[in-house]
Amino acid sequence: MNVRRGRLRVYLGAAPGVGKTYMMLSEGHRRLTRGTDVVVGLVETYDRPRTAELLEGLEIVPRRSMDHRGCTFTELDVDAVIARRPKVALIDELAHTNVPGSRNTKRWQDVEEILDAGIDVISTVNIQHLESLNDVVEEITGVVQRETMPDEVVRRADQVELVDMAPEALRRRMAHGNVYAPEKVDAALSNYFRVGNLTALRELALLWVAGKVDEQLDRYRAEHGISGTWEARERVVVALTGGPEGDTLVRRAARVAARSKGADLLAVHVTRADALAGVDPASMVRQRTLVEDLGGTYHQVVGDDIPRALLDFARGVNATQLVLGASRRGRFAQILSRGVGVTTIAQSGSIDVHMVTHEEMKKGRDRAPSRAALTRPRRVTGWVLAMLGLPVLALGLRLLRDGVNLPSDILLFLLTVIVVALVGGMWPAVTAAVFGFLLLNYFFTEPLAGFTIADPENLFALSVYVLVAVMVSAVVDLAARRTREAARARADAEILSTLAGHVLRGEHVLASLLARLRETFGLSSVTLLERTGEPVPEDQADPEAWRIVAAAGVDVPCTSPGAADTDVVIDERLVLAVRGRLLEASDRRVLEAFAAEAAVALRQDRLEEEAEQARPLAEADRMRTALLAAVSHDLRTPLASARAAVEGLRATDVDWSPEDRAELLATADESLVKLDRLVANLLDMSRLQAGVLGVALEATALEEIVPRAIDDLGEPSRRIEGDVSAGLPEIVADQVLLERILVNLMSNAVRYSPEDMKVLVTASRHGDHVEIRVVDRGTGIPPEAYDRIFMPFQRLGDRDNHTGVGLGLALSRGLAEAMGGTLLPEETPGGGLTMVLTLPVFPGPRAPLAEEGP
């Protein structure tokens, strides 16, 4: 029996503390009062009292305990939740990374299992955890987000609700102690939670949710066949012809879009398949570049009816405004035909159409080759002229029978047939020639009122008339066909030119390429499929034999070539499948060009992935090279000092005083200590890089480790001020490695602090972690350099090679992460740098401190 997949509801926030968990628990209580079976799968309260109060009255599924490196951690128990089979499960922090050894790496993968079991899930996530925005958030806040998740997981959610809060209100909530503990508030308010950061994060969250709403709206309109425009968001479409007025139109459309915050600008060029209207490729490239520089997107579609193609595109993208250039045609031409602008306005419906005047109006329209392609209206007109025009001509000549002779009658009939050929093509003209022959025979050839011909010369003249008429009709029809073929070739050339520009501009994103193909031919979906196994003849309609590499469109993607309206085989493993309408054979060449480019884009993406996988190897090689370069000097210096001291002590020709001997011994000892520390750092860094560093995690009391680390500093320890409370819980750490981290951090802080300022070492608990802060009052470093200070062999601001190889901070971060913690820099309020070492709290009871003897 198939189980209905559960529904996912996500509360999305711009920053910690906006109230996502509170809203989730409130929704749980609301559903509980309605009789829904609700359980708490996992909720993190972070000691926030108002959040903890909401847990009362809700059933909590026990967490699963896991041992990792000698410590016990708790995670979401997926099997227990599925076995309990509630209607709704509340699961916090969707982007959380599970403890190593868990069945799934990420919590969202646990949630997927629960949803597959038919259980509805309500969860939470912050905008900075979405993969696509991770680098943007880092650039805004200067903080690297290490817990990320794919956007698609949240996009697939059945409901996404934004939990919004003004930056000032969130900062007030923090100041009142409702988010973080009091000792952490000042640092947070001066760093991550600055008003500018919160405002930018809020805007990111609003725009992301707006994008998801747009997708839902497009899907709803497609499912319900709604073609009308819904003015949910301003979208301005500007129509480009390739003429010199295009620059003016683009800039005017950009100003129209700028009047509405968040409006989209789209430029569209309709390539006519039935005309030879010239388009300057250089102008189109310039105008496309201008559109993209102004933040818009360029699109190209093919259409015989330009107004209809423009409006179809505008309605397809849910545009609210359409910008057109005023016609450059002359007055006489405007009398004969309403033109694109007037026709578009008449058919636009709810779309506002702006007719923009420009300087090119005064110059008129460039003369283009005549339209010779035979459209349906022209063929109909040809038949009308043939069936009605010739009888009217015969009636007129009959009335003038005494003033016009037979040769003149034949020439006038021949003229009429040529006109029919020019307007309607070959078959209306051939029909007119035969019909004219009968009319001439009946009304104008002796004997009259009959179909016999007495004079052989008249028979010859009428036969020549028919032959000439048929020949002219054939020539006109051939010219029309050649013109149509030339127009189609020109349209294909423009599309291929756009495709070439796509390649040259480096736009190798498959989704973008497939979207352009869909727009060009007006398709509902375009899918790139790849075989999952070996090719077999009967797998064309088997969805299991294919996987979707990329897709574009509002329709459901094709799952196999057999489900497509048209498919193009790229190679034995790749097929491009399109759905929406059957394409003409003449369009297949262009389709094949798109297919080939899609294959190239796919290969390039995979090469980039392989290069990304090879990058760590290159980085390791670079590190080894830097290691050899650095060690060549830094090992030599302490070795030379120790050797000189020992050789001096061994000299028999010098009588050293006790003070000199002690000084030499101290020099040798100091040099050997430096050498020992350097070698230890190098070995540990090598073990970290190789992933073989031994870590013995155990319950550790900070009030014992911090004093030992201060003592290990030696003489600089007088500039250290420790403030570590004995009431702090024990943490999970390797005591030896933790001591080395603290020594590195404190020595680094002392090096860059003013002589008259002490380095402060404090510790405080935050939820299930303890933060150790090493605070200096030096000049500090800019946020953009935070990551660089953790790179091996880097000493920010150093110009010489005499202060070490720059491994201290790199090694410290590596050791911290090996113990399950983090090491991050922060700006010290008032100036300076604060290094924040975060380690997990030991889950067991605290061991009593050993009593000191008398």
Side-chain angles (χ1 to χ4, degrees):
M1 182 179 66
N2 293 330
V3 178
R4 176 193 69 87
R5 178 178 167 86
R7 297 174 61 84
L8 174 62
R9 179 173 183 172
V10 177
Y11 286 98
L12 177 68
V18 295
K20 303 179 302 300
T21 305
Y22 188 90
M23 293 289 291
M24 179 183 70
L25 292 173
S26 298
E27 177 66 15
H29 277 285
R30 187 180 69 82
R31 298 198 183 192
L32 189 64
T33 57
R34 294 188 315 187
T36 305
D37 185 11
V38 180
V39 301
V40 175
L42 187 146
V43 167
E44 300 289 356
T45 64
Y46 295 109
D47 295 331
R48 297 168 187 170
R50 296 186 62 187
T51 304
E53 290 173 3
L54 286 178
L55 283 174
E56 299 178 3
L58 294 173
E59 179 185 348
I60 301 176
V61 177
R63 301 189 186 189
R64 178 168 53 92
S65 298
M66 292 190 62
D67 292 328
H68 177 63
R69 292 181 175 177
C71 299
T72 302
F73 301 90
T74 60
E75 292 289 358
L76 171 67
D77 194 334
V78 178
D79 294 331
V81 173
I82 295 176
R84 171 62 178 75
R85 299 203 64 81
K87 175 62 177 175
V88 179
L90 308 181
I91 302 175
D92 209 1
E93 297 186 354
L94 196 59
H96 169 77
T97 302
N98 293 329
V99 173
S102 301
R103 180 165 59 194
N104 297 312
T105 305
K106 294 284 189 176
R107 184 167 293 164
W108 65 264
Q109 296 169 322
D110 295 338
V111 168
E112 288 291 320
E113 290 191 25
I114 295 173
L115 291 172
D116 290 338
I119 301 171
D120 294 345
V121 174
I122 304 178
S123 188
T124 65
V125 71
N126 279 330
I127 193 68
Q128 67 264 27
H129 296 304
L130 299 182
E131 185 65 47
S132 67
L133 299 176
N134 184 252
D135 56 340
V136 180
V137 173
E138 179 184 349
E139 183 177 353
I140 292 171
T141 64
V143 178
V144 180
Q145 299 295 332
R146 302 191 180 279
E147 289 194 332
T148 60
M149 61 178 294
D151 294 41
E152 186 60 28
V153 177
V154 185
R155 290 193 185 278
R156 289 200 309 263
D158 300 278
Q159 186 174 351
V160 176
E161 184 170 338
L162 178 65
V163 183
D164 190 28
M165 177 173 287
E168 294 79 7
L170 179 56
R171 286 171 61 86
R172 285 196 300 271
R173 174 181 287 185
M174 292 191 62
H176 294 157
N178 295 329
V179 179
Y180 292 149
E183 61 271 15
K184 193 177 180 182
V185 169
D186 290 338
L189 290 177
S190 61
N191 291 277
Y192 190 89
F193 288 85
R194 292 193 293 265
V195 173
N197 289 356
L198 295 177
T199 302
L201 292 173
R202 186 188 188 194
E203 182 177 14
L204 283 177
L206 290 170
L207 291 176
W208 194 93
V209 173
K212 177 172 173 57
V213 172
D214 280 343
E215 292 177 1
Q216 292 176 331
L217 180 60
D218 291 341
R219 189 180 306 115
Y220 178 86
R221 282 160 48 86
E223 291 173 353
H224 292 78
I226 300 173
S227 59
T229 300
W230 287 5
E231 298 185 16
R233 181 177 181 179
E234 289 291 340
R235 285 187 175 86
V236 181
V237 173
V238 54
L240 301 178
T241 65
E245 74 279 2
D247 294 5
T248 302
L249 298 181
V250 170
R251 292 189 176 93
R252 179 61 183 273
R255 291 196 296 271
V256 172
R259 295 170 187 165
S260 300
K261 182 68 174 176
D264 296 330
L265 174 64
L266 302 92
V268 59
H269 171 59
V270 179
T271 301
R272 304 188 64 155
D274 64 344
L276 283 172
V279 176
D280 183 6
S283 297
M284 289 306 307
V285 171
R286 185 183 69 254
Q287 290 167 17
R288 173 181 177 175
T289 303
L290 177 60
V291 169
E292 294 175 347
D293 289 343
L294 293 173
T297 56
Y298 175 83
H299 308 267
Q300 183 168 319
V301 297
V302 176
D304 294 331
D305 188 340
I306 291 182
R308 180 182 296 275
L310 282 176
L311 291 173
D312 286 346
F313 175 81
R315 293 188 180 107
V317 299
N318 202 25
T320 56
Q321 302 185 64
L322 179 60
V323 178
L324 301 176
S327 177
R328 290 186 286 149
R329 301 185 308 152
R331 293 184 179 180
F332 183 74
Q334 294 181 26
I335 294 174
L336 295 178
S337 173
R338 295 196 301 176
V340 173
V342 177
T343 305
T344 303
I345 292 173
Q347 301 175 0
S348 62
S350 60
I351 300 177
D352 296 335
V353 180
H354 302 263
M355 296 296 295
V356 179
T357 58
H358 48 85
E359 291 295 326
E360 300 300 323
M361 291 173 55
K362 303 176 183 178
K363 303 177 182 178
R365 185 175 181 178
D366 296 336
R367 295 188 62 85
S370 61
R371 294 183 59 183
L374 301 182
T375 60
R376 186 173 182 273
R378 289 182 58 180
R379 294 196 301 270
V380 171
T381 303
W383 284 108
V384 171
L385 287 175
M387 295 296 101
L388 297 180
L390 290 177
V392 171
L393 177 62
L395 180 60
L397 292 176
R398 184 69 177 173
L399 296 176
L400 300 174
R401 182 176 56 183
D402 296 336
V404 181
N405 56 17
L406 180 60
S408 298
D409 294 335
I410 293 175
L411 288 176
L412 289 174
F413 268 78
L414 180 60
L415 176 62
T416 304
V417 172
I418 292 175
V419 171
V420 172
L422 290 173
V423 174
M426 180 176 179
W427 293 113
V430 171
T431 303
V434 175
F435 189 28
F437 176 87
L438 296 176
L439 290 174
L440 286 169
N441 186 9
Y442 189 85
F443 290 107
F444 304 104
T445 305
E446 297 291 342
L448 300 177
F451 291 104
T452 60
I453 302 175
D455 189 349
E457 291 186 3
N458 292 340
L459 177 61
F460 177 75
L462 291 177
S463 300
V464 171
Y465 152 75
V466 173
L467 181 61
V468 170
V470 172
M471 292 176 62
V472 169
S473 301
V475 170
V476 171
D477 184 72
L478 180 62
R481 292 178 182 277
R482 293 291 181 264
T483 301
R484 185 163 56 252
E485 292 172 0
R488 172 61 67 179
R490 186 183 187 91
D492 292 348
E494 290 187 12
I495 295 173
L496 293 174
S497 174
T498 301
L499 179 61
H502 182 88
V503 177
L504 294 175
R505 295 164 69 88
E507 301 172 1
H508 291 290
V509 179
L510 270 176
S512 171
L513 185 66
L514 299 185
R516 289 184 182 277
L517 174 58
R518 186 184 71 84
E519 292 172 357
T520 298
F521 292 103
L523 303 169
S524 58
S525 71
V526 179
T527 310
L528 183 62
L529 298 170
E530 184 177 32
R531 292 184 190 271
T532 56
E534 293 299 321
V536 293
E538 60 273 10
D539 66 355
Q540 292 297 305
D542 182 11
E544 299 296 329
W546 301 87
R547 73 178 187 90
I548 298 175
V549 178
V554 296
D555 198 3
V556 178
C558 296
T559 56
S560 66
D565 294 328
T566 304
D567 65 272
V568 174
V569 178
I570 302 173
D571 55 35
E572 64 177 8
R573 304 203 64 83
L574 290 176
V575 172
L576 185 68
V578 302
R579 180 184 289 170
R581 66 183 180 91
L582 293 175
L583 296 179
E584 300 177 7
S586 58
D587 293 329
R588 192 168 183 88
R589 183 180 61 176
V590 179
L591 190 64
E592 290 174 350
F594 272 96
E597 173 59 17
V600 172
L602 176 62
R603 294 188 184 98
Q604 180 166 342
D605 289 345
R606 289 179 173 174
L607 286 175
E608 290 177 355
E609 292 177 2
E610 293 177 2
E612 188 67 26
Q613 295 174 359
R615 188 169 288 112
L617 298 177
E619 182 67 20
D621 185 66
R622 186 193 64 81
M623 181 172 290
R624 294 188 190 97
T625 303
L627 174 63
L628 293 174
V631 168
S632 64
H633 177 276
D634 291 279
L635 279 178
R636 188 184 304 117
T637 301
L639 279 174
S641 299
R643 181 179 178 182
V646 172
E647 288 179 350
L649 290 172
R650 293 181 58 189
T652 57
D653 56 343
V654 180
D655 186 15
W656 299 104
S657 65
E659 293 80 8
D660 293 337
R661 182 177 295 275
E663 183 177 353
L664 289 173
L665 288 172
T667 299
D669 180 67
E670 181 181 357
S671 299
L672 292 173
V673 167
K674 287 182 179 180
L675 182 61
D676 178 70
R677 184 173 298 171
L678 173 62
V679 172
N681 284 344
L682 291 172
L683 290 175
D684 284 344
M685 180 58 71
S686 299
R687 294 190 184 103
L688 278 175
Q689 293 294 324
V692 295
L693 178 67
V695 180
L697 297 178
E698 57 183 335
T700 303
L702 273 179
E703 61 269 26
E704 296 179 357
I705 299 299
V706 173
R708 292 202 324 236
I710 295 175
D711 291 341
D712 286 348
L713 280 178
E715 192 275 337
S717 63
R718 60 181 178 81
R719 297 179 54 195
I720 304 295
E721 180 180 340
D723 183 15
V724 179
S725 171
L728 285 173
E730 293 178 323
I731 59 174
V732 180
D734 183 308
Q735 296 187 12
V736 175
L737 298 183
L738 176 58
E739 187 174 337
R740 290 186 59 189
I741 294 174
L742 292 176
V743 169
N744 284 336
L745 296 181
M746 289 187 292
S747 62
N748 191 70
V750 168
R751 183 181 304 122
Y752 294 104
S753 289
E755 289 291 338
D756 57 342
M757 301 291 292
K758 287 195 171 185
V759 172
L760 177 63
V761 181
T762 65
S764 57
R765 177 175 182 172
H766 301 279
D768 57 355
H769 291 80
V770 170
E771 286 189 355
I772 309 164
R773 309 174 76 87
V774 180
V775 184
D776 69 58
R777 295 290 180 178
T779 57
I781 60 174
E784 59 269 17
Y786 282 172
D787 278 344
R788 276 197 292 141
I789 64 175
F790 291 105
M791 296 175 62
F793 317 114
Q794 299 289 325
R795 296 185 302 277
L796 194 64
D798 286 353
R799 298 292 183 182
D800 56 66
N801 221 13
H802 299 281
T803 55
V805 293
L807 282 176
L809 291 181
L811 179 61
S812 297
R813 169 172 276 188
L815 295 179
E817 293 176 350
M819 294 189 294
T822 60
L823 179 62
L824 297 173
E826 292 182 359
E827 181 183 356
T828 303
L833 184 68
T834 299
M835 300 301 297
V836 183
L837 174 62
T838 304
L839 292 170
V841 173
F842 185 73
R846 180 181 172 90
L849 294 175
E851 296 184 0
E852 296 184 2

